Amino acid sequence: MKTKICIEDIKIKKDDHTTIFYRDQGFQIIGNSTMGCGIDYVKSIVHHGLKNREAPLPYKEGEVSREEIDNEKKEYLKAIFDYKEIEEPAAAILSPTESGEFDIIINENVTAIVNSHNGQRLFMSILVFVDSNLNKKTLLKLFKATIDAKNAALWDMGVINHFSFDPLDVEDNESILIASKGLTDEVTSDESYKIMKNIQATVRKAVNQSLGNCGYPKGVLAYMNDVGVVVDDLVDAGMELVVGIEKTQEIRDNLKKQIYHSLEDLNVVSFIIAGIRLEEDYEKHRVSGVDVDDDPAYLYSDEVFGMSVANQIAGTKAIFNFKRYDEAKPGIISKLGPVLDDVFAGLVAGCMSKVFEV
């Protein structure tokens, strides 16, 4: 990480696990950091990473109380403060990744530092420095602006959707911390607005950059995995309806190869992504007056999707094959919603038709 921060008199100490930001005059902070929540004054800001740990504490949900977990985190961080000789009062961010893995964007008088980790769940911490003295009202506005910018970046990168990421299902130690040089009674509306827009742009850019390093945006295989579909399951489903000939390993291998090949077709990918988006909208009842929870008989656009996928891969014969897979719903296809069962039935039917093409 570059050590240049928009506040010139900040001093930075860094080792493999811990980065310490401090200044003689301290910081006025606002945020929900692991330690130092709310609006407060601190001398130091500490970002500590737990290398090679998926979670900061080895507990499963319900094993111990939330209060016990919070207290142990604070005790752990206080031990770090003593060991590193950190000047208190201090705020701290506890990360399940190495603290050195930052993405940093500097834009005039704002610096955004983002730490992301795409493990069992997406973890993200955001630390923003503002080279100004601010009042509490402005700090609250900037905290909201940072959250808005984070969510905008999640949307930009395709992270937010019902199947892959619920913004409320995050690591409990995720942090957003904003640090200004100090407090003042006078911040004009124009100054407040300018800083807010600067923070939104800077945080959005930094989060986008950090998510890019975590593997976003995702490819079609990752989107399929979000809805519980992997290629091997599709191969199993395809093999279930093979009749009249021996089910050989060669057929399985050819089918798998064909599925991967078909997933390179932009039109096939378009139908799959459209199906995933539509399934989510239906499941969340986002369209007033539309309820397809029981897969009503009058809903046939899903079958049009399925037939279109099959036809794109192997033409008219695949459409007839699609009807077999749509009616039998073998394997993984039977576990999908009213749109995706047809989309993936079409994918399997098209690929099977292509495998046996003469």
Side-chain angles (χ1 to χ4, degrees):
M1 184 191 79
K2 296 179 181 179
T3 56
K4 182 176 176 58
I5 302 294
C6 62
I7 302 176
E8 292 185 355
D9 61 349
I10 284 183
K11 301 171 185 177
I12 301 174
K13 291 182 180 180
K14 184 178 182 300
D15 59 27
D16 289 341
H17 303 284
T18 309
T19 302
I20 306 165
F21 305 88
Y22 64 100
R23 61 192 295 262
D24 294 338
Q25 291 76 29
F27 306 93
Q28 187 65 41
I29 65 164
I30 183 172
N32 65 331
S33 57
T34 313
M35 178 179 289
C37 297
I39 298 178
D40 204 354
Y41 167 82
V42 298
K43 295 285 288 185
S44 310
I45 298 173
V46 181
H47 194 296
H48 181 70
L50 296 171
K51 185 177 180 181
N52 299 325
R53 292 281 293 277
E54 189 66 32
L57 291 171
Y59 302 133
K60 294 182 180 179
E61 189 69 28
E63 286 186 346
V64 296
S65 70
R66 179 57 52 189
E67 184 177 2
E68 289 177 289
I69 293 175
D70 290 341
N71 287 337
E72 185 155 344
K73 285 180 182 178
K74 291 177 181 178
E75 289 176 7
Y76 176 83
L77 287 170
K78 286 180 178 179
I80 296 296
F81 293 173
D82 292 340
Y83 179 72
K84 302 287 185 179
E85 298 182 346
I86 294 169
E87 188 171 358
E88 296 195 51
I93 296 172
L94 188 59
S95 165
T97 64
E98 288 187 74
S99 60
E101 297 174 1
F102 287 115
D103 287 274
I104 179 169
I105 297 293
I106 302 173
N107 188 6
E108 297 180 8
N109 65 334
V110 170
T111 301
I113 299 173
V114 179
N115 175 229
S116 298
H117 174 60
N118 194 17
Q120 293 178 352
R121 290 186 294 177
L122 179 65
F123 165 88
M124 183 175 298
S125 67
I126 301 173
L127 174 58
V128 179
F129 291 101
V130 183
D131 187 19
S132 299
N133 292 317
L134 303 173
N135 58 17
K136 292 182 179 180
K137 181 179 179 181
T138 301
L139 283 169
L140 287 168
K141 287 182 179 179
L142 300 186
F143 184 69
K144 180 182 182 301
T146 300
I147 295 172
D148 291 343
K150 171 189 173 181
N151 288 334
L154 292 173
W155 182 266
D156 289 341
M157 301 296 280
V159 181
I160 295 179
N161 68 64
H162 165 61
F163 298 111
S164 66
F165 178 72
D166 183 341
L168 297 180
D169 183 25
V170 295
E171 294 287 351
D172 69 340
N173 57 304
E174 280 202 329
S175 300
I176 293 177
L177 190 66
I178 299 171
S180 69
K181 294 169 70 173
L183 279 179
T184 181
D185 292 331
E186 295 296 329
V187 178
T188 67
S189 296
D190 286 344
E191 289 173 332
S192 176
Y193 180 77
K194 182 179 179 181
I195 295 172
M196 180 187 71
K197 298 302 290 185
N198 194 356
I199 277 185
Q200 287 177 330
T202 307
V203 170
R204 188 173 191 170
K205 185 175 181 180
V207 173
N208 275 327
Q209 181 173 299
S210 187
L211 289 172
N213 294 331
C214 283
Y216 294 96
K218 299 177 292 188
V220 65
L221 290 171
Y223 277 105
M224 288 166 54
N225 188 65
D226 288 343
V227 298
V229 177
V230 295
V231 171
D232 284 338
D233 290 338
L234 296 175
V235 172
D236 291 339
M239 295 299 294
E240 281 192 34
L241 297 192
V242 173
V243 295
I245 60 172
E246 182 182 357
K247 298 180 181 181
T248 64
Q249 185 62 42
E250 182 181 5
I251 295 175
R252 289 187 62 90
D253 292 342
N254 288 339
L255 175 57
K256 188 172 186 177
K257 181 179 179 180
Q258 181 58 49
I259 290 173
Y260 278 118
H261 179 70
S262 296
L263 291 174
E264 296 175 357
D265 185 327
L266 174 60
N267 295 289
V268 172
V269 171
S270 297
F271 280 118
I272 291 173
I273 298 300
I276 290 172
R277 302 291 191 196
L278 183 58
E279 190 81 79
E280 180 184 357
D281 286 342
Y282 281 165
E283 184 173 322
K284 289 294 186 182
H285 302 100
R286 289 175 178 154
V287 183
S288 178
V290 175
D291 186 346
V292 299
D293 289 348
D294 298 327
D295 196 3
Y298 56 81
L299 177 69
Y300 60 83
S301 57
D302 52 342
E303 295 191 5
V304 174
F305 269 41
M307 288 187 287
S308 297
V309 173
N311 183 64
Q312 175 66 23
I313 296 170
T316 304
K317 61 182 176 295
I319 295 177
F320 288 97
N321 201 18
F322 161 75
K323 294 304 295 181
R324 295 178 62 235
Y325 282 93
D326 182 36
E327 292 171 2
K329 300 190 186 304
I332 186 64
I333 296 172
S334 67
K335 300 176 182 179
L336 301 174
V339 177
L340 291 180
D341 62 351
D342 290 308
V343 169
F344 286 108
L347 176 63
V348 172
C351 291
M352 286 299 296
S353 299
K354 200 71 176 176
V355 166
F356 289 105
E357 194 173 64
V358 178

